[in-house]
Amino acid sequence: MKQLLDKLTSRGSASLDDTELLTLLLGEGGEQAAARRLAERLLEYYDGALARLGRDPLPRLRMVEGMGQRRAARIAAAAELGRRILQAQAAETTTLVTSDDVIRLFRPELEQLDHEECWAVYLSSSNRIIERQRISQGGVQGTVVDHRLIVKRALELLATQLILVHNHPSGSAEASEPDRMLTARIAQAAALFDIRLLDHIIVARAGSFSFRSTGLL
């Protein structure tokens, strides 16, 4: 393990490839060769997809030959730490300019959920975030959103713009017909009070969908 530790110390963690990083997490004592073989088996099991590896629960991780509870727990802890770092970085965002800014803000929070949530981001005329609020939470298939409550909160905050964000636990980011109807309803209701719906963004494991970028808003 000393060789990997020296490489990390002298050249930084970014210099390590996926196998080397996993080897450091899985190694115990000086058993680098055994830890590397296990890291290679783990990557092979997940076809090299670190996102899938980071999502799976402990019982699934332990299905890999050689993975005990302790090693599986290290992988799960590292994945969760990575998610929390991304969430903390996203929370520092104060302005939103593009749909990519919104996706970066919400993906760490919404991508892993097994139920659907809908959030509203209330903005000033200069795109400064006034508030972001979860407005509904539902099941795997969908959630109920009251457009009147969204507009009411915008008026209370004196927001001039808003963005709607929700996730698709199914994994597909494609907008459904109910998604399109909801977008139109909120845009119309907000426009009555000179509040602009800037975008409606869907976050999913397979990607993301922006109503504005696709010309639907």
Side-chain angles (χ1 to χ4, degrees):
M1 302 299 286
K2 184 177 185 302
Q3 181 182 1
L4 286 181
L5 289 171
D6 288 345
K7 182 177 179 180
L8 185 150
T9 302
S10 62
R11 297 167 56 187
S13 57
S15 68
L16 303 180
D17 62 26
D18 294 346
T19 301
E20 290 171 329
L21 287 170
L22 286 171
T23 299
L24 281 177
L25 282 173
L26 298 169
E28 295 181 354
E31 291 296 322
Q32 179 173 332
R36 185 177 180 88
R37 287 194 296 271
L38 177 55
E40 290 170 346
R41 282 199 299 272
L42 190 61
L43 286 172
E44 183 180 1
Y45 183 83
Y46 286 98
D47 297 320
L50 292 178
R52 285 179 50 212
L53 187 156
R55 283 196 300 265
D56 269 356
L58 284 177
R60 183 69 64 84
L61 288 171
R62 292 186 63 186
M63 291 176 66
V64 179
E65 180 185 355
M67 285 282 286
Q69 183 173 357
R70 226 172 10 179
R71 283 171 167 159
R74 286 182 202 161
I75 297 296
E80 180 59 29
L81 181 61
R83 277 191 289 271
R84 294 188 186 188
I85 289 172
L86 287 176
Q87 288 175 349
Q89 290 173 338
E92 295 174 352
T93 302
T94 58
T95 59
L96 299 175
V97 179
T98 68
S99 60
D100 287 340
D101 293 335
V102 183
I103 293 166
R104 278 192 294 270
L105 178 63
F106 280 94
R107 182 173 291 285
E109 191 159 3
L110 297 181
E111 184 182 32
Q112 309 296 328
L113 297 179
D114 57 4
H115 63 273
E116 192 166 304
E117 291 189 0
C118 188
W119 288 68
V121 185
Y122 299 99
L123 304 167
S124 69
S125 57
S126 60
N127 291 339
R128 180 180 59 82
I129 297 175
I130 301 173
E131 180 179 275
R132 57 190 187 115
Q133 181 186 59
R134 182 172 60 193
I135 54 178
S136 69
Q137 179 175 326
V140 174
Q141 296 297 323
T143 182
V144 177
V145 178
D146 190 333
H147 64 280
R148 294 166 299 185
L149 294 179
I150 295 174
V151 175
K152 177 176 179 290
R153 186 56 180 161
L155 292 170
E156 291 171 348
L157 295 170
L158 299 179
T160 58
Q161 306 180 107
L162 67 93
I163 296 172
L164 201 64
V165 187
H166 82 277
N167 65 311
H168 278 179
S170 65
S172 171
E174 196 64 31
S176 65
E177 187 57 32
D179 292 336
R180 295 168 187 255
M181 293 172 60
L182 173 65
T183 304
R185 190 179 302 124
I186 293 176
Q188 291 168 4
L192 293 174
F193 300 94
D194 293 324
I195 299 169
R196 184 183 178 199
L197 177 62
L198 289 180
D199 205 346
H200 181 182
I201 292 175
I202 300 169
V203 175
R205 291 171 186 165
S208 58
F209 184 94
S210 164
F211 274 72
R212 180 157 299 279
S213 297
T214 53
L216 294 176
L217 187 63

